[in-house]
Amino acid sequence: MKKLFFYIFIIFITITGCKKDFSDEFTPYQGLSFNDTTWTNDPISNRIIDSFQTQIGLTAVYAKTFNPARDTAVWANDDVQIHIPSNAFTYQSNNPNAVTDSVRIKLIQVKKRGDFIRYLISTTSNQYPLVCASDFYVSYSTNNQPVAISPNKPITIQWIDDDAVNGMQFYRGITNAGSQNNVNWKADNTGTVGNWDTIINGTHQTGYRIQSAYTQWFGANYLMDTTQGTTNLNVVLPLNFTNKNTMVFAVFNNVQSVIRLTASAGEKGFHASHIPTNANITIVSISLINNSFYVGSNALYGINAGLQKIFPKKINAQDLSAFLNSL
């Protein structure tokens, strides 16, 4: 009789355990956010994003104040040069006069795959993947007020790239407030992209040159080749990793391109569309739970429409930053 009760008890525990794993019902434990398996229809909170970016660090912002009445040429870093023609700025109010007070430039360059993840930027245009040479965020201000650039006096940004190719186009970033992918890239004629090739101090160097009067997000990109066919990428994680604490990215290993996957509360997973079937990518998940990081990754050589499963492991902020630098 004791054996009978024992087996009944084991069967009961097994059944209730299975119900807990697969049921939509969940009883949260106070103070233990790791146990919260619920999903939301809202984007991941700014609190999580701010904590993520603060702990892993963002790329340095270049800032300089200059006299707008003079031609100005500066190196933002060892690779990026900016040329600003004289009297190029006007007030954003109805004042048509050229700005005469000192102007301050702030510039962010996003080029490495890990840096796109740091800024939560997806290199996509209407969900179609882009190949990126470099993207920039640039702003100009005087007396803490933004100023505009005269259309007939575009700013030139030139940078070194040993792997420069032809065919890059000018894309500007359209900010999508409240969206999971906060920047959508659009090709237009508000700027141009060209190549340069020269000898500097006896060394052959190549790179790109952007000319534009546009500010905020813009860069040099082109649409990824999808002539071999595309498919959807679908990713799921263990129950504790939800869209309230987790972000998922597809990192292309052979080109400069990173796609931030869209979270689906209904499907309890993450997805992206228009992925080339012959793509060589690494899926990366980053979660922040109870102020601890969890990272998962999975390399794929060719994409199919089946579910890709990621199993994150705990990692400290320093190792996470090093991992992003290695992508």
Side-chain angles (χ1 to χ4, degrees):
M1 180 65 68
K2 290 183 179 179
K3 288 185 177 180
L4 177 61
F5 282 122
F6 173 76
Y7 289 124
I8 292 174
F9 176 76
I10 292 297
I11 292 171
F12 173 78
I13 291 296
T14 302
I15 292 173
T16 56
C18 290
K19 283 185 66 179
K20 185 176 181 180
D21 283 344
F22 295 98
S23 173
D24 288 334
E25 297 180 3
F26 181 78
T27 303
Y29 293 90
Q30 186 175 2
L32 296 177
S33 59
F34 192 87
N35 291 320
D36 185 0
T37 64
T38 58
W39 286 61
T40 176
N41 290 320
D42 299 322
I44 194 167
S45 71
N46 289 332
R47 179 184 62 82
I48 293 291
I49 292 174
D50 291 344
S51 182
F52 163 70
Q53 293 180 326
T54 298
Q55 292 192 58
I56 64 169
L58 298 174
T59 56
V61 178
Y62 172 79
K64 183 178 178 62
T65 300
F66 60 93
N67 182 348
R70 301 175 182 173
D71 281 348
T72 302
V74 295
W75 286 92
N77 56 46
D78 292 339
D79 297 332
V80 180
Q81 187 181 45
I82 308 164
H83 177 255
I84 303 168
S86 61
N87 301 311
F89 297 96
T90 60
Y91 295 97
Q92 287 194 344
S93 62
N94 293 328
N95 186 348
N97 297 328
V99 173
T100 56
D101 292 338
S102 295
V103 172
R104 187 166 181 81
I105 178 177
K106 291 185 178 180
L107 178 144
I108 299 169
Q109 182 184 26
V110 184
K111 182 179 179 181
K112 297 179 180 179
R113 299 175 182 90
D115 290 340
F116 280 102
I117 293 178
R118 284 182 166 90
Y119 281 95
L120 310 182
I121 291 177
S122 191
T123 57
T124 52
S125 179
N126 297 326
Q127 300 184 6
Y128 284 86
L130 299 170
V131 176
C132 177
S134 185
D135 289 325
F136 298 90
Y137 182 90
V138 183
S139 66
Y140 303 91
S141 62
T142 184
N143 299 320
N144 294 319
Q145 298 296 318
V147 293
I149 304 170
S150 299
N152 60 340
K153 290 195 172 184
I155 308 300
T156 300
I157 298 179
Q158 179 173 296
W159 69 100
I160 298 171
D161 192 323
D162 295 335
D163 300 316
V165 298
N166 295 322
M168 287 288 172
Q169 294 178 275
F170 181 83
Y171 277 76
R172 60 189 179 99
I174 309 300
T175 302
N176 299 321
S179 171
Q180 296 181 70
N181 293 325
N182 58 346
V183 176
N184 180 48
W185 299 95
K186 179 181 178 181
D188 68 13
N189 59 3
T190 58
T192 61
V193 179
N195 294 58
W196 58 266
D197 186 327
T198 189
I199 303 295
I200 301 177
N201 296 327
T203 302
H204 179 222
Q205 292 187 331
T206 60
Y208 299 100
R209 180 184 297 111
I210 284 180
Q211 285 190 311
S212 178
Y214 192 74
T215 58
Q216 300 190 17
W217 285 108
F218 60 84
N221 304 268
Y222 66 79
L223 282 171
M224 190 175 294
D225 182 9
T226 58
T227 56
Q228 299 300 312
T230 64
T231 187
N232 296 331
L233 178 63
N234 300 283
V235 177
V236 294
L237 295 93
L239 289 175
N240 305 93
F241 300 92
T242 72
N243 64 337
K244 293 193 295 187
N245 57 39
T246 299
M247 298 168 288
V248 180
F249 303 86
V251 180
F252 287 77
N253 300 327
N254 298 330
V255 293
Q256 293 293 115
S257 186
V258 175
I259 295 177
R260 182 178 173 188
L261 274 63
T262 299
S264 172
E267 300 296 328
K268 292 182 169 56
F270 299 83
H271 64 88
S273 56
H274 309 298
I275 307 297
T277 53
N278 61 345
N280 176 354
I281 69 170
T282 299
I283 304 172
V284 175
S285 71
I286 300 176
S287 307
L288 185 58
I289 306 174
N290 290 335
N291 210 36
S292 295
F293 284 111
Y294 297 81
V295 172
S297 64
N298 187 22
L300 300 177
Y301 302 92
I303 313 299
N304 60 58
L307 283 177
Q308 306 296 330
K309 298 180 180 180
I310 304 294
F311 298 94
K313 295 183 179 179
K314 196 171 184 178
I315 188 174
N316 61 47
Q318 183 178 358
D319 289 341
L320 172 55
S321 183
F323 170 71
L324 295 179
N325 291 337
S326 71
L327 294 174

